[in-house]
Amino acid sequence: MVKKLVQEAAGRAVRMPAEERRELILQAATAVFSERGYAGSTTDQVARAAGISQPYVVRMFGTKENLFLEALDRALGKLQDNFRYVIADFDAGRLSEQAAALDPSGGASRQERLRPILGAAYADLIQDRGILLILMQSFLAGHEPVIGARAREGFLAIYRLLREEAGMDEDSAQDFLAHGMLMNTLISMRLPELYGQDATADELLECTLRTKLDVVLAASKRDGVRP
């Protein structure tokens, strides 16, 4: 993934608006941190992935810690925005066909009908693999005073969204988060790369990812080459 970003950045125009350049750096930071972790990453690696100079990265973001925090905030924001779009569309009736396919009887409660749709939306984020993996890296860096506090704050914000906006009860929200963490774990250790080679891996991937297995396998194939 990092190598791909370097190649893409090399083909971009040298001059671009500051906000576009900022987003480019955050994309590169997300890729680098998700692959190497906070401790194993440097601002120089991020700069090379973004195709710009390391002093420019430092001038824009300051420390590596600040860069990681902004990349984490970007990932959390995308995740929560995605969930809110789904909830709004569901409540407006724009996902009625999808809900009916999941529960043809129409007898399930709102949270029961909404939960698998949110799960599918979460799986779709694998197309930007770094979004999910930087969340995992933030949990691993939980011992860092500032990063740990931000990771805990973000995780609780997601839980509150599920409870208050999606209307899930405690057990349903807990189960949803547990399933999401399992998905993250399988992706972070690159288990999808074993699909078709190991029957046990196939079974675990299929029961975890269900209808989104093809999406994850495609993303895994695309990003499978390590930098």
Side-chain angles (χ1 to χ4, degrees), residues 103-121:
D103 178 34
S105 70
S109 66
R110 177 179 180 270
Q111 72 161 355
E112 291 170 329
R113 286 180 290 132
L114 184 53
R115 177 179 158 178
I117 299 175
L118 285 172

Side-chain angles (χ1 to χ4, degrees), residues 71-85 131 135:
L72 175 58
D73 285 346
R74 174 179 175 271
L76 287 166
K78 284 181 176 292
L79 175 59
Q80 292 177 78
D81 286 347
N82 200 32
F83 281 175
R84 289 190 169 106
Y85 293 146
I131 293 294
L135 297 177

Side-chain angles (χ1 to χ4, degrees), residues 79 83 115 118-120 122-123 126 132-133 135-136 139 155 158 162 172-188 208-210:
L79 175 59
F83 281 175
R115 177 179 158 178
L118 285 172
Y122 183 76
I126 188 56
L132 301 185
L133 294 187
L135 297 177
M136 291 291 285
F139 304 150
F155 199 81
I158 295 169
L162 296 174
S172 187
Q174 178 189 22
D175 190 59
F176 184 91
L177 290 175
H179 192 92
M181 289 300 295
L182 173 58
M183 188 183 299
N184 275 16
T185 300
L186 300 183
I187 291 167
S188 65
T208 301
L209 299 168
R210 298 168 189 161

Side-chain angles (χ1 to χ4, degrees), residues 2 73 129 147 162 188 214 218-219:
V2 176
D73 285 346
R129 186 170 179 270
I147 293 174
L162 296 174
S188 65
D214 288 345

Side-chain angles (χ1 to χ4, degrees), residues 23-102:
E23 174 62 17
L24 175 65
I25 295 171
L26 288 175
Q27 287 177 6
T30 298
V32 171
F33 285 129
S34 69
E35 293 285 354
R36 305 175 186 274
Y38 176 69
S41 300
T42 66
T43 54
D44 183 59
Q45 290 167 345
V46 172
R48 283 189 278 113
I52 59 176
S53 70
Q54 191 262 358
Y56 186 91
V57 173
V58 174
R59 186 163 65 249
M60 180 169 281
F61 292 94
T63 64
K64 181 177 79 168
E65 182 178 77
N66 285 339
L67 179 57
F68 185 93
L69 290 173
E70 292 218 28
L72 175 58
D73 285 346
R74 174 179 175 271
L76 287 166
K78 284 181 176 292
L79 175 59
Q80 292 177 78
D81 286 347
N82 200 32
F83 281 175
R84 289 190 169 106
Y85 293 146
V86 169
I87 293 170
D89 283 346
F90 178 86
D91 288 339
R94 291 188 287 269
L95 299 178
S96 55
E97 290 186 8
Q98 189 173 349
L102 294 168

Side-chain angles (χ1 to χ4, degrees), residues 150-162:
R150 188 69 60 83
R152 290 186 289 274
E153 176 187 329
F155 199 81
L156 291 174
I158 295 169
Y159 179 74
R160 282 192 295 271
L161 188 155
L162 296 174

